[in-house]
Amino acid sequence: MSACSTRGNAAGTALRTRSAMGRGLMTALACLCWAALPCWADSPEFEFHPPAVAGDPATPAVMRDLAERLLPVYQDPDADRYLANLSAIQLVAGSYSAADVSRESLRDRRRQTDPQRPIGRGLIYDIYAHAKAMESEDRVPFAKSFAISFHDAIARLNDQDAYVVTRWLGTAPGVFLDALQKSFNDLRGKDGLDQPEAVQLIWTYLAFDAYRSFGPIAGSLDSEDDRRRYATDADVTIRTRDGADLFAQVIRPKNAAKPLPTLLEFNIEESQNSAMESASRGYVGVVAHVRGTHGNRLDVVPYQHDGSDARAVIDWIARQSWSDGRVAMYGEGYGGYTPWAAAKHVPPALKAIATAAPTAPGVDYPMVGNVFRNSAFRWSLSYIDPKAAAANGLNDPATWLAFDQKWYKRGARYRDVGRLFGVPNPIFIRWLNHPSYDLYWQKMAPYEKDFAQINIPVLTITGYYAASEPGALHYFTQHLRYNPHADHTLLIGPYDDGALQHGPLPVLRGYPVDAAAVIDVRELRYQWFDHVLKGAATPSLLSGRVNYEVAGANEWRHAASLGEMSQGAIRYYLDTNAAGGRHTLTRQKPAKVRFIRQTVSYADRSDAGWTPAPDLVGKLPESRNGMIFMGPPLTSATDFNGEFSAHLDLTLNKMDVDLEIMLYERTAGGDYIRLFSPSYELRASYAADRVHRRLLKAGERQTLTFTSERPIGRRLRAGSRLVMVLGVGKRPNREINYGTGDDVSEESIADAQIPLKIRWYGDSYIDIPIRK
């Protein structure tokens, strides 16, 4: 048995004698006990009956009983893990002084073995354990003991680490209550817990117990520390050239010895402490709000004024005494669009922009593939008339789902969405008047030669599963098209919009994310800003122009362009033969071209209640108005990297149609994994470009050739198959194209008397970019 194994009874007994011995002696005894104890071969099982409700008054006693039974037998061969877990068990068991010593022993070990170790959440338990020890041993009220412990720990931290810890302390206790309830539910019905399960449950309970204890006082302590570190101007007014007032908040580190560069977020939504986070990193943090928001009495008109308004904010910043004249912008979603709107106006002080999941008006919002979304009506109404939106239940998902179905079943014109909802939305109607990427949209962000004037470093972060991915790719590709030498870096991984805004999780909608891809996106952004504005090294993850994670390979790769993500392509043709309701993707071009018939009734609304499954992994989702094509098994592992393209040969009886394409990996085990999400969608009349509508010719054979805006980055194992679902767009939550060739928003179910009929010819194909 290993001499490095641990057992909790001797260590626990020694540590509980803290009141009779000095702290230094206790630390030595703790380390001695850890080093000398033998290994226990078998992990005991602990009887445990979870309360029905995590907040039950009996829960503390139940958990204390479990901790007291676990403490004498707890063991772990890893010294750091042993001390961390031991301290948690001791805290739940009520041995607060012993827990305090265990936490100190852990800190001492880590200082010796890993002095550069970054700050971790364990510091919260250091503060909590010391406070509980003072409360029990010195009879100091907990509120006072926690404040003493807090000040002692936080005062020693730099601004960056203090910001991280104080934000952790501000987490709502309800988050941990929900986690504890889930743990109780998962354990219900089990006969007992093994040691790892018991330790995990101890930690889950401890998090809840600690946060509910210090939660009521942590906020005031955090604010006190913030006031000590930062100078805050909470209500700054900035006047634009046309006389509009914009509101902003400015936060500066008090310890700055000279003017600093500024990080600016300009957004329609409320910021999540980003100005202070920027200040904690040694910048001036500024958050400005678009006109009409944040108490501004002007009307909200999304997108239209943001470029010139952002320019006004940047110019104002550059004139301030605390500014060194350099401004960088950042943001996600709408806040990822505004840096581009500003860059269109080329403000001299703007030196860099970094965006994640950026919106591109007219590209990915309020329409995708030139197809308008009901969500755009909902979102815009929440800003232009929030009272009416709230009064009509706009924020209730069930209400909104019912509205989608109501519109769909009624078959009304898309322009009548507001009338059906009972609230007019002039902004949405204005958008519907511009279904092409015309001058209306082109004025909002850089267009063509505007990109040639943008010569500042740019970082764009997006994901294979992000709805905003087409917008991010639009900015990246257009910038490099019109400015081939642009300093523009792209990072793309297995993320959706939520992961890009709040950070990746190990599992995304049922899909296990590679460990290499679970990165701190915000931290990466600050590292990049430090490189651009402070001369720090380039983050290794951003060593190429295109940096992408190969999902399934747990590996980041770097390329000079999107095209260089691959080494070639596999061409799959649409086989017209069908079996079991499915067609085949074949590598062989057909000697004789045949066709597949597809009929879609736009008048059929029996599918009003259908919604696609959100999971990224599972069975093949039901295909409404679509056809399934499956390729042969791969003979070796193959990386699908890059943007797929398609050449569709078809005849249809309409002048237009909306198409949807989804690609899956069908594993040898039978699971279906989406290669991207949501589906790639396009209006056929805009397949050549989104600016000019080119109607199809009803009854004539013709081709559609396009490259998707949905890059792929995945390793498919040997035995896996590529699966494609090719469908016609017809859903309750978006505009329906009936194919008359007229303004689609004017069409209605009255135009659905004749079903859509398509012939898909067998020389149609898709090209999948690969790297062996």
Side-chain angles (χ1 to χ4, degrees):
M1 295 189 181
S2 170
C4 294
S5 299
T6 58
R7 191 173 70 191
N9 56 345
T13 300
L15 293 174
R16 282 192 291 270
T17 64
R18 175 183 179 275
S19 59
M21 309 179 71
R23 181 178 295 272
L25 178 58
M26 286 303 303
T27 300
L29 284 176
C31 294
L32 178 63
C33 290
W34 166 79
L37 293 175
C39 176
W40 287 36
D42 299 318
S43 173
E45 187 168 275
F46 303 89
E47 182 179 357
F48 183 76
H49 303 287
V53 179
D56 190 307
T59 297
V62 172
M63 292 304 303
R64 180 166 186 158
D65 173 70
L66 174 64
E68 289 175 340
R69 287 183 285 127
L70 175 60
L71 186 61
V73 295
Y74 171 66
Q75 55 183 323
D76 195 301
D78 183 281
D80 284 6
R81 189 167 58 235
Y82 168 73
L83 287 169
N85 291 341
L86 178 64
S87 69
I89 299 168
Q90 290 166 332
L91 282 168
V92 175
S95 300
Y96 303 123
S97 297
D100 191 22
V101 174
S102 295
R103 298 297 310 176
E104 184 177 27
S105 299
L106 179 61
R107 293 195 300 276
D108 289 344
R109 277 190 52 81
R110 286 176 171 170
R111 275 194 292 267
Q112 296 170 9
T113 60
D114 188 8
Q116 302 303 316
R117 183 185 181 93
I119 198 76
R121 288 181 184 265
L123 181 58
I124 293 174
Y125 296 103
D126 291 341
I127 297 171
Y128 179 67
H130 191 58
K132 293 296 289 185
M134 282 192 288
E135 180 190 33
S136 65
E137 190 169 284
D138 302 327
R139 300 296 185 264
V140 178
F142 179 75
K144 183 177 181 180
S145 68
F146 187 83
I148 294 171
S149 183
F150 173 91
H151 291 307
D152 183 55
I154 300 299
R156 295 195 295 260
L157 301 179
N158 60 36
D159 289 352
Q160 179 180 337
D161 288 343
Y163 175 84
V164 171
V165 174
T166 53
R167 292 328 103 168
W168 285 339
L169 284 168
T171 306
V175 173
F176 303 100
L177 177 63
D178 292 343
L180 181 61
Q181 184 65 59
K182 183 180 184 303
S183 294
F184 281 175
N185 294 342
D186 292 344
L187 295 172
R188 213 173 307 284
K190 293 192 65 172
D191 294 333
L193 312 179
D194 59 22
Q195 178 174 289
E197 290 174 326
V199 170
Q200 181 60 52
L201 183 60
I202 289 289
W203 274 112
T204 303
Y205 172 75
L206 175 59
F208 164 63
D209 193 40
Y211 272 81
R212 71 171 171 178
S213 297
F214 59 65
I217 55 177
S220 61
L221 293 172
D222 291 349
S223 298
E224 179 186 344
D225 188 68
D226 292 342
R227 289 191 296 271
R228 182 176 66 85
R229 294 174 185 271
Y230 307 109
T232 301
D233 297 317
D235 294 300
V236 175
T237 302
I238 301 170
R239 179 67 55 87
T240 68
R241 289 184 178 180
D242 63 353
D245 286 336
L246 307 175
F247 299 131
Q249 294 84 46
V250 179
I251 301 181
R252 299 174 286 116
K254 287 184 176 180
N255 61 5
K258 60 182 180 179
L260 299 173
T262 299
L263 299 186
L264 166 65
E265 179 184 6
F266 188 58
N267 209 340
I268 197 170
E269 299 167 349
E270 290 296 321
S271 173
Q272 301 297 318
N273 296 313
S274 56
M276 186 170 293
E277 184 178 52
S278 297
S280 77
R281 306 294 298 235
Y283 297 93
V284 176
V286 177
V287 172
H289 307 276
V290 304
R291 64 171 69 187
T293 64
H294 203 71
N296 193 311
R297 289 174 292 180
L298 298 172
D299 291 336
V300 179
V301 185
Y303 307 122
Q304 285 189 221
H305 303 289
D306 295 337
S308 58
D309 287 356
R311 166 81 190 247
V313 175
I314 292 169
D315 291 345
W316 177 86
I317 291 171
R319 296 193 299 267
Q320 306 310 303
S321 60
W322 39 257
S323 169
D324 72 354
R326 296 180 297 161
V327 179
M329 292 187 71
Y330 65 92
E332 301 89 26
Y334 195 104
Y337 148 71
T338 55
W340 286 105
K344 183 182 180 75
H345 295 259
V346 199
L350 183 61
K351 301 303 182 183
I353 62 178
T355 69
T359 298
V363 176
D364 69 344
Y365 209 81
M367 66 277 225
V368 179
N370 297 87
V371 181
F372 284 93
R373 296 292 195 270
N374 297 12
S375 59
F377 174 90
R378 177 186 185 184
W379 176 83
S380 56
L381 188 64
S382 69
Y383 283 100
I384 66 172
D385 196 345
K387 292 183 178 179
N392 286 272
L394 193 67
N395 299 322
D396 179 11
T399 299
W400 192 247
L401 179 62
F403 169 71
D404 283 346
Q405 296 176 5
K406 175 183 177 181
W407 169 79
Y408 185 70
K409 291 177 180 178
R410 188 165 295 187
R413 299 183 312 161
Y414 200 64
R415 285 182 173 272
D416 292 334
V417 164
R419 185 180 304 169
L420 289 175
F421 194 74
V423 181
N425 187 336
I427 294 295
F428 189 68
I429 295 299
R430 186 182 306 172
W431 289 346
L432 291 179
N433 291 337
H434 300 278
S436 303
Y437 192 70
D438 59 14
L439 187 62
Y440 174 78
W441 303 108
Q442 293 166 15
K443 288 181 177 180
M444 297 178 180
Y447 178 67
E448 292 190 347
K449 293 183 180 180
D450 293 335
F451 283 104
Q453 308 303 313
I454 300 175
N455 293 303
I456 58 176
V458 178
L459 172 63
T460 297
I461 303 176
T462 187
Y464 306 129
Y465 303 113
S468 60
E469 186 183 37
L473 267 292
H474 167 77
Y475 291 127
F476 179 74
T477 56
Q478 292 297 297
H479 193 190
L480 291 173
R481 178 180 179 182
Y482 292 97
N483 189 349
H485 301 293
D487 183 2
H488 195 147
T489 302
L490 174 70
L491 181 132
I492 182 169
Y495 313 127
D496 65 2
D497 294 293
L500 292 170
Q501 294 184 37
H502 306 295
L505 296 174
V507 178
L508 174 65
R509 289 153 52 189
Y511 171 76
V513 176
D514 289 345
V518 183
I519 63 173
D520 188 333
V521 176
R522 294 168 75 93
E523 174 63 25
L524 180 66
R525 182 182 72 196
Y526 283 114
Q527 291 176 5
W528 183 81
F529 277 138
D530 288 347
H531 161 65
V532 172
L533 299 173
K534 298 181 179 180
T538 302
S540 59
L541 203 58
L542 302 177
S543 59
R545 172 167 280 173
V546 177
N547 309 276
Y548 61 101
E549 205 265 340
V550 183
N554 196 34
E555 177 183 338
W556 284 96
R557 290 187 184 161
H558 313 278
S561 67
L562 287 170
E564 293 188 28
M565 290 173 64
S566 62
Q567 296 172 321
I570 298 178
R571 177 164 293 179
Y572 289 103
Y573 291 91
L574 309 188
D575 195 322
T576 57
N577 296 315
R582 298 180 181 180
H583 294 271
T584 301
L585 290 174
T586 177
R587 301 286 301 279
Q588 302 298 319
K589 184 175 182 178
K592 184 176 181 180
V593 178
R594 305 179 186 275
F595 59 81
I596 305 167
R597 298 180 186 271
Q598 183 182 16
T599 301
V600 176
S601 171
Y602 288 121
D604 178 18
R605 300 302 158 95
S606 61
D607 57 352
W610 177 80
T611 55
D615 291 343
L616 301 176
V617 182
K619 296 180 179 179
L620 183 66
E622 181 183 1
S623 175
R624 296 294 178 111
N625 307 312
M627 298 179 297
I628 301 171
F629 296 84
M630 183 178 294
L634 294 171
T635 57
S636 60
T638 305
D639 293 344
F640 284 16
N641 297 336
E643 298 173 291
F644 75 91
S645 59
H647 175 88
L648 301 178
D649 186 355
L650 74 161
T651 300
L652 72 166
N653 64 336
K654 305 279 186 179
M655 299 176 67
D656 205 356
V657 64
D658 293 345
L659 301 177
E660 299 182 5
I661 298 176
M662 175 55 73
L663 300 180
Y664 299 85
E665 173 191 2
R666 183 187 184 277
T667 67
D671 285 333
Y672 288 82
I673 303 173
R674 298 190 190 197
L675 300 187
F676 53 84
S677 181
S679 303
Y680 176 67
E681 302 178 46
L682 75 158
R683 182 155 289 166
S685 55
Y686 290 102
D689 69 81
R690 58 173 51 92
V691 177
H692 305 98
R693 190 182 188 196
R694 298 175 176 86
L695 294 174
L696 281 64
K697 298 178 180 179
E700 294 187 18
R701 186 171 172 181
Q702 56 215 293
T703 60
L704 298 174
T705 301
F706 54 87
T707 298
S708 75
E709 295 170 323
R710 283 284 173 194
I712 304 166
R714 178 164 181 81
R715 174 166 296 174
L716 276 67
R717 302 295 178 185
S720 289
R721 302 169 181 258
L722 177 70
V723 176
M724 179 180 74
V725 177
L726 173 61
V728 173
K730 183 175 83 76
R731 298 193 194 180
N733 64 348
R734 62 199 62 182
E735 187 180 41
I736 296 177
N737 184 355
Y738 292 87
T740 67
D742 295 332
D743 181 345
V744 176
S745 68
E746 295 281 2
E747 295 177 330
S748 71
I749 200 168
D751 299 301
Q753 296 179 4
I754 300 175
L756 170 68
K757 295 183 179 181
I758 306 180
R759 292 181 178 181
W760 299 102
Y761 292 93
D763 59 349
S764 299
Y765 60 81
I766 57 169
D767 283 336
I768 304 296
I770 65 164
R771 179 181 290 269
K772 287 285 189 179

